[in-house]
Amino acid sequence: MSDRAEPRVGPDAAPHEPLGPARPGRFATASLTTVFLLVIVAAGLTFVGLPYVVLSPGPATNVLGSVDGKPVLTVEGAQTYPTEGALDFTTVSFDGGPGRTVTVYELLEAWVRDDVEAASEDLYFPPEATEDQIEAENAEMMNDSQVVAAATALRALGTDVPTSVAIADVPAGGPAEGRIEPGDVLVSVDGEKASDTGAVRAAVQARSPGEDVSVRLRRDGEEQTVTVPTVDTGGRAVIGVLLRTQYDLPVQVTLNTGRVGGPSAGLMFSLAIYDSLTPGSLTGGERVAGTGTILDDGSVGPISGIRQKMVGAHEAGARYFLSPEGDCADAVGHVPDGMELFKVTSFDDARVAVEAIATGEVAGLPRCG
């Protein structure tokens, strides 16, 4: 049977009934209704947010280059040198999370494309976090990564970079609230010098939970001593503060990264700063991309979205990619054609790798897989 009624020309037809336009039958009406409902459902699905994030390749940016006519990297207060080639920091485009919506169509795309990945939203964002909070946190992590990158590059050149331990945040309701403030610089804890964050934690945890700790700090240029009670967290004494390492840099480093946030460009920042402060070209004119956090001891930490970052780097023209060792398992089997993937665990590893790439002697470099 077709979707249109046939003219009545059989035994039940009137002898002289005119054969005019056919009228829709019940099957046709049902079909049109089904199509209409499917259209409505499909349209609705484009607005239904799902508790997932979708990661896709983002742009790669040359730290040695310019964006919108402005240099990405500027170093003041020290001799800098011209260079060539590219040291690309790589990014991931995120859909989902606070303030963003992921639809079923985006999840389907992640299912069929190797360079797009979906994951549960709670793996990337804490419950109840707002879009403004996430943006502020990412901006703070980006700023911290730039400072640590500058300190790492300067230390590799033999420059002394003094550090201090500062208070990043004092969560409400904790034992330090009203006693310690964000921005305070710690001088000592129970008489032990606050030389780094590890020393501060060790001094606090030398106490039994419930005991008081004497904290010497500097606020607005003046020193004072406060007494803070400890509380028990997992069997350890804590005073309820978040710490950060503060650096006294002898040079001013500015990185123009636009709205890119997070800490994962730290490794590439440190290499670019080092290149700018040393004669000649670290890359030998090659385009090298990579990712990874940079920590105070010069070690390289893992990130998320290694597959998407490799694709973004490949599209930008990079033939070589530096991966944190901790991300190798995710990267193997997904390296774009024509790209070589090297694993690094520290700034020194990465510097040696780029120097080898510059000379074409990469056979002995550690690789993922």
Side-chain angles (χ1 to χ4, degrees):
M1 179 182 293
S2 70
D3 286 348
R4 299 181 62 184
E6 294 292 332
R8 296 199 304 169
V9 295
D12 296 328
H16 303 291
E17 182 174 352
L19 301 180
R23 293 179 296 173
R26 285 177 296 176
F27 181 75
T29 302
S31 297
L32 290 172
T33 301
T34 300
V35 170
F36 178 75
L37 290 174
L38 288 174
V39 169
I40 294 297
V41 171
L45 288 175
T46 63
F47 299 101
V48 176
L50 301 173
Y52 292 91
V53 294
V54 172
L55 289 66
S56 57
T61 303
N62 179 16
V63 190
L64 303 174
S66 300
V67 173
D68 297 331
K70 297 181 180 180
V72 176
L73 170 65
T74 303
V75 180
E76 297 178 278
Q79 173 69 53
T80 59
Y81 302 89
T83 188
E84 58 183 3
L87 289 165
D88 290 344
F89 76 86
T90 51
T91 62
V92 173
S93 293
F94 261 87
D95 286 310
R100 300 181 182 181
T101 299
V102 166
T103 67
V104 67
Y105 299 111
E106 290 166 311
L107 290 180
L108 288 173
E109 183 182 27
W111 181 58
V112 300
R113 286 181 54 180
D114 182 64
D115 62 341
V116 179
E117 184 179 354
S120 178
E121 185 179 77
D122 58 14
L123 293 178
Y124 290 89
F125 302 102
E128 309 304 326
T130 67
E131 185 177 9
D132 288 343
Q133 289 172 336
I134 295 300
E135 287 190 2
E137 182 179 349
N138 282 336
E140 180 67 21
M141 288 191 291
M142 169 61 82
N143 291 335
D144 287 346
S145 73
Q146 295 175 6
V147 174
V148 179
T152 300
L154 290 167
R155 286 170 176 168
L157 293 168
T159 303
D160 181 46
V161 181
T163 62
S164 56
V165 180
I167 302 299
D169 193 20
V170 182
E177 185 179 18
R179 296 176 171 87
I180 298 178
E181 298 178 2
D184 288 348
V185 177
L186 301 186
V187 177
S188 64
V189 177
D190 275 350
E192 297 293 330
K193 185 179 179 180
S195 54
D196 54 45
T197 56
V200 171
R201 293 189 182 95
V204 173
Q205 291 170 15
R207 291 284 187 173
S208 297
E211 293 184 334
D212 290 343
V213 171
S214 176
V215 179
R216 185 75 176 171
L217 56 84
R218 186 165 57 253
R219 181 184 300 164
D220 298 328
E222 297 184 0
E223 290 192 9
Q224 58 181 286
T225 300
V226 298
T227 300
V228 184
T230 62
V231 295
D232 188 344
T233 298
R236 299 176 300 173
V238 300
I239 58 174
V241 296
L242 299 180
L243 306 175
R244 64 181 172 87
T245 302
Q246 193 164 274
Y247 296 85
D248 184 9
L249 296 175
V251 300
Q252 182 177 341
V253 175
T254 304
L255 284 150
N256 170 32
T257 59
R259 296 192 61 180
V260 177
S264 66
L267 172 62
M268 302 311 292
F269 290 159
S270 63
L271 290 169
I273 296 167
Y274 179 90
D275 191 7
S276 179
L277 293 172
T278 53
S281 170
L282 184 64
T283 67
E286 296 287 353
R287 190 174 200 109
V288 183
T291 189
T293 63
I294 194 76
L295 305 183
D296 181 62
D297 62 359
S299 60
V300 176
I303 49 80
S304 61
I306 184 73
R307 300 180 189 179
Q308 292 74 35
K309 291 182 176 182
M310 289 190 298
V311 172
H314 185 258
E315 291 176 348
R319 294 176 52 209
Y320 308 97
F321 196 96
L322 307 179
S323 167
E325 184 177 30
D327 291 312
C328 280
D330 288 336
V332 170
H334 302 278
V335 183
D337 291 340
M339 176 176 279
E340 296 190 65
L341 181 65
F342 305 105
K343 68 177 178 181
V344 296
T345 60
S346 67
F347 170 81
D348 288 337
D349 285 352
R351 177 181 54 80
V352 168
V354 176
E355 289 173 343
I357 290 169
T359 61
E361 299 175 358
V362 299
L365 292 178
R367 298 172 184 259
C368 289

